[in-house]
Amino acid sequence: MIEYWDIYDENRNKTGRIHRRGDEMQSGDYHLVIHVCIFNSKNELLIQRRHPDKIGWPGIWDISAAGSALQDEDSRMAAIREVKEELGIEINLDGLRPHFTINFDQGFDDYWFIEQEIDLKDITLQPEEVVDAKWVKEDELIKLLEAGQFIPYWFGANIFKIRKLNGSF
């Protein structure tokens, strides 16, 4: 399946142009990426193991869901779609906004932190992308990071501390 992304300028305004995934981005063109971190009331983070054939971090554990926003999607729509596609679950982001945004060379990366109770047996994994999912506590995540088994996000070791900074949950 071919994916198309909206192209943004440096101020995060849509340019009216689109980009086909896999093509080289032009200088000065940017796209939107989202990451969703789902926590439960026991202060556990839902993580997923990427498929071993996936380009970029194959077979490695990752946060709850992530991906590029598709053409005509905003950050909220992309986050909801990615969680549904990868884990088969519904999330509600009404009244919320990304916890933080990181600019990277070719775009904007929005990070959503939410709290939701999810029973693992209710998850339906997207088999070509995700091979497993589980809840982890902070110490378990640190062990995965130290063992090189979790994507080394710049904030990875502090994700639980960052969560606490958000007074909404």
Side-chain angles (χ1 to χ4, degrees):
M1 179 177 111
I2 298 174
E3 289 184 4
Y4 291 94
W5 306 331
D6 289 314
I7 299 290
Y8 295 82
D9 66 17
E10 70 277 1
N11 295 312
R12 201 169 169 154
N13 298 309
K14 286 185 181 179
T15 64
R17 295 182 294 115
I18 59 171
H19 174 82
R20 186 174 64 187
R21 182 181 189 141
D23 290 351
E24 187 174 333
M25 296 280 290
Q26 295 179 23
S27 178
D29 284 353
Y30 304 95
H31 75 283
L32 177 61
V33 176
I34 61 87
H35 287 80
V36 180
C37 299
I38 302 173
F39 294 88
N40 63 20
S41 62
K42 294 186 271 187
N43 199 33
E44 296 171 318
L45 173 65
L46 182 63
I47 63 173
Q48 61 158 280
R49 185 185 294 263
R50 296 166 64 88
H51 193 280
D53 293 334
K54 191 138 170 76
I55 296 173
W57 307 106
I60 301 294
W61 288 97
D62 195 357
I63 59 177
S64 308
S68 294
L70 301 178
Q71 182 180 4
D72 297 325
E73 283 184 331
D74 61 21
S75 179
R76 178 176 284 106
M77 293 163 61
I80 291 168
R81 177 188 48 76
E82 284 290 344
V83 171
K84 181 69 174 172
E85 281 181 6
E86 294 179 8
L87 302 173
I89 55 177
E90 302 281 339
I91 60 170
N92 182 348
L93 299 177
D94 291 347
L96 301 177
R97 49 188 184 139
H99 192 72
F100 59 88
T101 299
I102 298 295
N103 296 327
F104 64 99
D105 287 345
Q106 295 181 327
F108 312 96
D109 206 342
D110 285 349
Y111 288 82
W112 295 83
F113 283 46
I114 64 170
E115 184 174 306
Q116 185 167 326
E117 302 305 316
I118 299 167
D119 190 324
L120 293 177
K121 68 179 182 249
D122 295 333
I123 291 176
T124 304
L125 302 177
Q126 182 183 31
E128 57 276 351
E129 298 240 0
V130 182
V131 295
D132 198 5
K134 67 180 180 177
W135 290 104
V136 293
K137 294 195 174 291
E138 185 173 15
D139 63 327
E140 295 169 286
L141 180 64
I142 299 298
K143 287 177 185 171
L144 288 170
L145 281 162
E146 289 172 350
Q149 296 175 353
F150 192 88
I151 293 178
Y153 292 102
W154 65 269
F155 63 90
N158 294 306
I159 195 168
F160 286 86
K161 292 171 185 69
I162 294 169
R163 176 194 186 229
K164 291 175 187 173
L165 294 175
N166 183 350
S168 65
F169 59 90

